[in-house]
Amino acid sequence: LDHKERGPGCWIYWSFTSWNETVEIFRAKMPLRKHRCRFKSYEHCFTAAEAVDWLHELLRCSQNFGPEVTRKQTVQLLKKFLKNHVIEDIKGKWGQEDFEDNRHLYRFPPSSPLKPYPKKPPYQKDVIKFPEWNDPPPGTSQENIPVRPVVMNSEMWYKRHSIAIGEVPACRLVHRRQLTEANVEEIWKSMTLSYLQKILGLDSLEEVLDIKLVNSKFIIHNVYSVSKQGVVILDDKSKELPHWVLSAMKCLANWPNCSDLKQPMYLGFEKDVFKTIADYYGHLKEPLLTFHLFDAFVSVLGLLQKEKVAVEAFQICCLLLPPENRRKLQLLMRMMARICLNKEMPPLCDGFGTRTLMVQTFSRCILCSKDEVDLDELLAARLVTFLMDNYQEILKVPLALQTSIEERVAHLRRVQIKYPGADMDITLSAPSFCRQISPEEFEYQRSYGSQEPLAALLEEVITDAKLSSKEKKKKLKQFQKSYPEVYQERFPTPESEALLFPEKPKPKPQLLMWALKKPFQPFQRTRSFRM
């Protein structure tokens, strides 16, 4: 750190390890000798000025500070040593910060002020392999895939053998052109922005976002380059949080139980550590959510009543952040949430509660516009409050979006089947996002969605005057056999079906001509001529 970044209280930036190491070296190597004061000799002691000289040189050579450490800063550190009984005056007094750069005599107390602190297992960093563009999509291996036996019926057999009997034209395999890295990046960008536009319910994102400023590389990095805890891993280590800030954040995030307190500290130590973190984030050149994404995040605030939708919208917006901003935001929100939930944490401010203090301290460094207005502070407070309550979900990678894009990329890389006459150069557009429906609605649409064109086809057969009655009956029989539901709906009763083919009246049999000329007379018994 340079002198401007340290300020007058740079001692506070140390981690516990730096504090212990400095105290240990100071006690072990600080020259001690015999001094006289007021006609009395004192063994194994040193003057305040000697301590300042020696410790100043030690800090200037330390990798945690450097040559810019001032003598005044060294005096401040010795004041903390005196207050915490690292040193005491020649009469055994300590506990006050009244150390001055003079000839006053001091000595080390007989007992060491160092206390061991819990050792954590070494952190093993897993190397996350970034997916190569030429790698086959996941889940495409054909080995050990269970195959369900298929029960063949006549219809399936006909379909399977339709090519052999000449019903289906021959086809050929077409290998798509290889996707370049730029193609894949454009797919990630376009589909991510489409997903965000759909969630926000906007006709265009131009109202809230300059699409030209969206970097597709940031989206891909934020999805794949993450640790097991979901925190972004940076390739450029120069953009990491400074070591002293990270140590201070870990200190407050993992603040121990008061009954098991083992870290070396002094009264008010936690307040100084918190001020260190607040000063660093308060001097950032740009808020973590960036200036150009300000309107996008503010538009999400209108969705807070629909918590699930708001979380999804924040997930997408946070994917657009530069990786270093997303990492700083993840670490900051985790620390803030843990501090608020820790009942053993001493008050960090006398005038505010812990939660209120977190929101007021870090709101501006998380969200603010380039041209600050009075309402920005209220908007930022609402957003930070929502982030604290839902940070684990918001800062996760949206799995639905990731799966959809990966399937799209895999589809474009897959071999395609082409039939004669098909357009070989057709450009597939990005899939549009559909409204999710219930299983019951899906079954209804599957059952009845295709009936309208079938019903129209049935009406054409019925009204076709060119067909003879015999042909029409034959076609209707075939239709009834293939689509009984549609046929039953058109002809619910046999009578309705009979109306289509009315019976012709039978002609009356013709009477004999002679019968018409001489009407039939009943048999009459004639009188006999026999006398």
Side-chain angles (χ1 to χ4, degrees), residues 12-57:
I12 189 175
Y13 299 154
W14 288 359
S15 64
F16 292 143
T17 304
S18 300
W19 172 280
N20 279 350
E21 288 178 353
T22 305
V23 171
E24 187 176 359
I25 295 174
F26 183 52
R27 285 178 59 88
K29 297 187 178 182
M30 173 66 198
L32 305 177
R33 61 185 180 88
K34 182 178 179 180
H35 287 81
R36 290 183 62 85
C37 179
R38 297 181 182 180
F39 308 104
K40 188 175 181 180
S41 297
Y42 297 94
E43 299 285 345
H44 307 294
C45 59
F46 51 86
T47 66
E50 291 173 346
V52 175
D53 291 339
W54 191 90
L55 187 57
H56 184 213
E57 187 63 26

XYZ file of all heavy atoms in Angstrom, residues 12-57:
404
model
N -4.154 -0.805 11.629
C -5.393 -1.561 11.757
C -5.577 -2.549 10.623
O -6.380 -3.460 10.685
C -6.548 -0.569 11.793
C -7.839 -1.224 12.135
C -6.714 0.107 10.508
C -8.898 -0.186 12.266
N -4.801 -2.369 9.546
C -4.984 -3.211 8.371
C -4.350 -4.574 8.521
O -4.443 -5.394 7.637
C -4.384 -2.526 7.134
C -5.012 -1.209 6.788
C -4.303 -0.246 6.093
C -6.320 -0.932 7.136
C -4.876 0.960 5.760
C -6.887 0.276 6.825
C -6.175 1.226 6.138
O -6.743 2.417 5.813
N -3.669 -4.762 9.568
C -3.028 -6.061 9.741
C -4.031 -7.163 9.973
O -5.062 -6.963 10.568
C -2.098 -6.032 10.953
C -0.869 -5.229 10.720
C -0.512 -4.573 9.603
C 0.153 -4.998 11.666
N 0.674 -3.954 9.769
C 1.116 -4.193 11.042
C 0.351 -5.404 12.969
C 2.263 -3.782 11.681
C 1.492 -4.991 13.606
C 2.449 -4.191 12.956
N -3.678 -8.333 9.529
C -4.426 -9.520 9.933
C -3.897 -9.957 11.284
O -2.898 -9.442 11.785
C -4.238 -10.645 8.909
O -2.891 -11.031 8.893
N -4.554 -10.938 11.890
C -4.091 -11.450 13.168
C -2.678 -12.015 13.055
O -1.862 -11.889 13.968
C -5.038 -12.544 13.654
C -6.391 -12.018 14.009
C -7.514 -12.767 13.721
C -6.539 -10.790 14.614
C -8.774 -12.288 14.046
C -7.788 -10.315 14.945
C -8.898 -11.056 14.661
N -2.381 -12.638 11.933
C -1.049 -13.204 11.758
C 0.008 -12.119 11.794
O 1.060 -12.269 12.423
C -0.988 -13.969 10.425
O -2.012 -14.951 10.415
C 0.350 -14.627 10.230
N -0.247 -10.989 11.091
C 0.718 -9.895 11.085
C 0.908 -9.324 12.490
O 2.023 -8.997 12.889
C 0.247 -8.798 10.127
O 0.121 -9.311 8.828
N -0.163 -9.193 13.245
C -0.089 -8.690 14.613
C 0.794 -9.617 15.462
O 1.721 -9.173 16.143
C -1.490 -8.580 15.196
C -1.565 -8.251 16.673
C -1.410 -9.108 17.703
C -1.799 -6.958 17.242
N -1.548 -8.456 18.896
C -1.787 -7.118 18.643
C -2.025 -5.697 16.729
C -2.002 -6.071 19.522
C -2.247 -4.641 17.589
C -2.218 -4.832 18.971
N 0.520 -10.908 15.429
C 1.295 -11.858 16.221
C 2.760 -11.885 15.809
O 3.660 -11.926 16.658
C 0.703 -13.261 16.075
C -0.499 -13.475 16.984
O -0.775 -12.646 17.848
N -1.212 -14.553 16.780
N 3.019 -11.878 14.505
C 4.399 -11.917 14.038
C 5.167 -10.684 14.484
O 6.329 -10.775 14.915
C 4.422 -12.025 12.508
C 3.990 -13.382 11.984
C 3.982 -13.423 10.468
O 4.191 -12.352 9.849
O 3.757 -14.512 9.894
N 4.526 -9.507 14.372
C 5.208 -8.260 14.757
C 5.502 -8.240 16.253
O 6.611 -7.868 16.682
C 4.346 -7.055 14.364
O 4.038 -7.130 12.979
C 5.079 -5.758 14.643
N 4.522 -8.648 17.063
C 4.740 -8.674 18.516
C 5.847 -9.662 18.874
O 6.720 -9.376 19.708
C 3.425 -9.039 19.236
C 3.681 -9.292 20.723
C 2.393 -7.925 19.062
N 5.828 -10.820 18.211
C 6.833 -11.846 18.515
C 8.240 -11.370 18.161
O 9.187 -11.546 18.940
C 6.486 -13.116 17.746
C 7.363 -14.307 18.101
C 6.927 -15.579 17.399
O 5.928 -15.514 16.664
O 7.584 -16.616 17.594
N 8.363 -10.759 16.974
C 9.693 -10.260 16.562
C 10.128 -9.113 17.466
O 11.301 -9.019 17.860
C 9.636 -9.803 15.089
C 9.371 -11.004 14.175
C 10.930 -9.114 14.680
C 9.155 -10.631 12.725
N 9.190 -8.244 17.809
C 9.518 -7.097 18.665
C 10.004 -7.560 20.028
O 10.998 -7.043 20.563
C 8.270 -6.216 18.795
C 8.495 -4.952 19.591
C 9.541 -4.097 19.286
C 7.657 -4.612 20.651
C 9.742 -2.923 20.015
C 7.854 -3.467 21.371
C 8.892 -2.617 21.056
N 9.354 -8.550 20.614
C 9.773 -9.050 21.927
C 11.100 -9.805 21.861
O 11.900 -9.766 22.804
C 8.697 -9.989 22.492
C 7.459 -9.276 23.010
C 6.416 -10.284 23.506
N 6.938 -11.117 24.577
C 6.890 -10.811 25.874
N 6.335 -9.667 26.253
N 7.374 -11.629 26.781
N 11.331 -10.483 20.719
C 12.527 -11.325 20.627
C 13.779 -10.539 20.253
O 14.884 -10.871 20.700
C 12.300 -12.438 19.608
N 13.639 -9.485 19.435
C 14.825 -8.848 18.869
C 15.016 -7.382 19.253
O 16.032 -6.792 18.875
C 14.763 -8.959 17.343
C 14.799 -10.405 16.851
C 14.912 -10.483 15.352
C 15.004 -11.937 14.872
N 15.153 -12.042 13.403
N 14.070 -6.805 19.958
C 14.265 -5.428 20.408
C 15.427 -5.366 21.394
O 15.443 -6.068 22.414
C 12.984 -4.908 21.085
C 13.134 -3.539 21.735
S 13.418 -2.257 20.518
C 14.075 -0.957 21.559
N 16.476 -4.566 21.113
C 17.651 -4.482 22.015
C 17.251 -3.977 23.403
O 16.563 -2.964 23.536
C 18.574 -3.494 21.300
C 18.124 -3.498 19.872
C 16.664 -3.737 19.911
N 17.700 -4.683 24.435
C 17.446 -4.303 25.829
C 18.786 -4.042 26.505
O 19.761 -4.755 26.274
C 16.694 -5.413 26.568
C 15.370 -5.893 25.944
C 14.798 -7.047 26.762
C 14.364 -4.765 25.862
N 18.802 -3.029 27.347
C 20.051 -2.747 28.065
C 19.729 -2.036 29.379
O 18.561 -1.765 29.681
C 20.986 -1.907 27.204
C 20.457 -0.548 26.803
C 21.427 0.130 25.845
N 20.944 1.440 25.440
C 21.205 2.577 26.118
N 21.935 2.533 27.247
N 20.746 3.730 25.678
N 20.752 -1.704 30.075
C 20.604 -1.049 31.384
C 20.471 0.462 31.185
O 21.223 1.065 30.424
C 21.828 -1.363 32.259
C 21.773 -0.777 33.654
C 23.019 -1.200 34.434
C 23.025 -0.612 35.829
N 24.224 -1.007 36.585
N 19.465 1.047 31.879
C 19.242 2.494 31.795
C 19.161 3.061 33.216
O 18.785 2.358 34.166
C 17.949 2.821 31.047
C 18.025 2.585 29.569
N 17.881 1.348 29.003
C 18.238 3.455 28.539
C 17.994 1.435 27.689
N 18.215 2.723 27.380
N 19.518 4.349 33.324
C 19.409 5.060 34.607
C 18.339 6.128 34.493
O 18.223 6.818 33.489
C 20.737 5.718 34.988
C 21.815 4.709 35.358
C 23.093 5.436 35.812
N 22.863 6.239 36.983
C 22.903 5.782 38.239
N 23.165 4.492 38.460
N 22.699 6.582 39.261
N 17.532 6.255 35.554
C 16.481 7.269 35.584
C 16.330 7.736 37.028
O 16.028 6.925 37.924
C 15.183 6.694 35.051
S 13.800 7.864 35.063
N 16.535 9.031 37.221
C 16.397 9.614 38.553
C 17.251 8.871 39.576
O 16.760 8.388 40.596
C 14.938 9.644 38.976
C 14.078 10.526 38.074
C 12.643 10.555 38.545
N 11.822 11.369 37.653
C 10.526 11.577 37.795
N 9.891 10.989 38.812
N 9.865 12.340 36.950
N 18.525 8.761 39.217
C 19.527 8.174 40.120
C 19.239 6.713 40.453
O 19.667 6.214 41.496
C 19.637 8.988 41.430
C 19.854 10.447 41.192
C 18.819 11.350 41.350
C 21.113 10.908 40.806
C 19.020 12.696 41.125
C 21.305 12.264 40.588
C 20.268 13.167 40.739
N 18.487 6.049 39.549
C 18.197 4.641 39.794
C 18.418 3.863 38.503
O 18.089 4.332 37.415
C 16.753 4.462 40.267
C 16.428 3.045 40.734
C 15.021 2.961 41.318
C 14.699 1.555 41.798
N 13.328 1.460 42.366
N 18.993 2.660 38.625
C 19.291 1.838 37.445
C 18.189 0.798 37.220
O 17.657 0.226 38.179
C 20.634 1.120 37.623
O 21.684 2.062 37.720
N 17.889 0.553 35.900
C 16.874 -0.430 35.528
C 17.466 -1.352 34.463
O 18.006 -0.900 33.444
C 15.617 0.249 34.969
C 14.913 1.139 35.985
C 15.189 2.502 36.053
C 13.968 0.601 36.866
C 14.547 3.320 36.973
C 13.317 1.414 37.785
C 13.601 2.769 37.834
O 12.979 3.573 38.758
N 17.361 -2.651 34.689
C 17.904 -3.644 33.756
C 16.848 -4.019 32.706
O 15.643 -3.924 32.953
C 18.333 -4.900 34.525
C 19.414 -4.672 35.553
C 20.779 -4.482 34.923
O 20.912 -4.820 33.711
O 21.691 -4.010 35.603
N 17.346 -4.497 31.543
C 16.503 -5.073 30.486
C 15.323 -4.162 30.127
O 14.156 -4.541 30.209
C 15.956 -6.437 30.915
C 17.018 -7.386 31.375
N 17.988 -7.894 30.550
C 17.272 -7.896 32.627
C 18.783 -8.693 31.220
N 18.378 -8.715 32.490
N 15.629 -2.962 29.726
C 14.582 -2.010 29.332
C 15.049 -1.209 28.124
O 16.163 -1.400 27.620
C 14.226 -1.105 30.506
S 15.618 -0.156 31.144
N 14.211 -0.294 27.690
C 14.530 0.529 26.523
C 13.742 1.821 26.637
O 12.725 1.900 27.331
C 14.165 -0.194 25.219
C 12.763 -0.731 25.184
C 11.690 0.060 24.777
C 12.486 -2.044 25.576
C 10.407 -0.434 24.758
C 11.193 -2.536 25.548
C 10.149 -1.746 25.143
N 14.223 2.866 25.945
C 13.510 4.141 25.940
C 12.449 4.120 24.838
O 12.491 3.315 23.898
C 14.471 5.302 25.698
O 15.005 5.195 24.375
C 15.599 5.308 26.714
N 11.506 5.040 24.946
C 10.448 5.142 23.933
C 11.041 5.464 22.570
O 10.626 4.902 21.543
C 9.425 6.205 24.342
N 12.019 6.352 22.538
C 12.633 6.727 21.258
C 13.363 5.541 20.638
O 13.325 5.355 19.413
C 13.588 7.902 21.458
N 14.043 4.724 21.461
C 14.717 3.541 20.926
C 13.710 2.551 20.331
O 13.971 1.933 19.288
C 15.521 2.861 22.040
C 16.737 3.663 22.507
C 17.402 3.047 23.728
O 16.774 2.166 24.356
O 18.529 3.463 24.056
N 12.578 2.410 21.014
C 11.546 1.509 20.491
C 10.994 2.014 19.162
O 10.765 1.232 18.218
C 10.420 1.354 21.508
N 10.777 3.331 19.057
C 10.272 3.898 17.808
C 11.278 3.692 16.683
O 10.921 3.300 15.564
C 9.939 5.392 17.984
C 9.542 6.008 16.642
C 8.812 5.580 18.994
N 12.563 3.928 16.964
C 13.603 3.761 15.944
C 13.641 2.324 15.432
O 13.649 2.075 14.214
C 14.971 4.138 16.512
C 15.087 5.637 16.779
O 14.301 6.397 16.174
O 15.941 6.035 17.596
N 13.670 1.390 16.357
C 13.826 -0.014 15.955
C 12.583 -0.543 15.231
O 12.671 -1.194 14.186
C 14.110 -0.862 17.201
C 14.547 -2.261 16.857
C 15.802 -2.708 16.650
C 13.680 -3.397 16.668
N 15.814 -4.035 16.343
C 14.504 -4.490 16.341
C 12.312 -3.592 16.740
C 14.008 -5.756 16.098
C 11.816 -4.856 16.485
C 12.657 -5.919 16.172
N 11.382 -0.263 15.791
C 10.143 -0.776 15.182
C 9.870 -0.102 13.842
O 9.347 -0.734 12.909
C 8.973 -0.549 16.147
C 7.628 -1.184 15.736
C 7.772 -2.686 15.542
C 6.549 -0.885 16.772
N 10.224 1.183 13.715
C 10.038 1.886 12.439
C 10.849 1.217 11.329
O 10.357 1.014 10.207
C 10.453 3.349 12.598
C 10.202 4.166 11.371
N 10.998 5.219 10.990
C 9.236 4.075 10.408
C 10.543 5.741 9.865
N 9.463 5.070 9.497
N 12.069 0.843 11.632
C 12.904 0.176 10.645
C 12.338 -1.208 10.291
O 12.383 -1.642 9.133
C 14.333 0.050 11.181
C 15.325 -0.492 10.163
C 15.477 0.416 8.960
O 15.240 1.640 9.084
O 15.827 -0.100 7.881
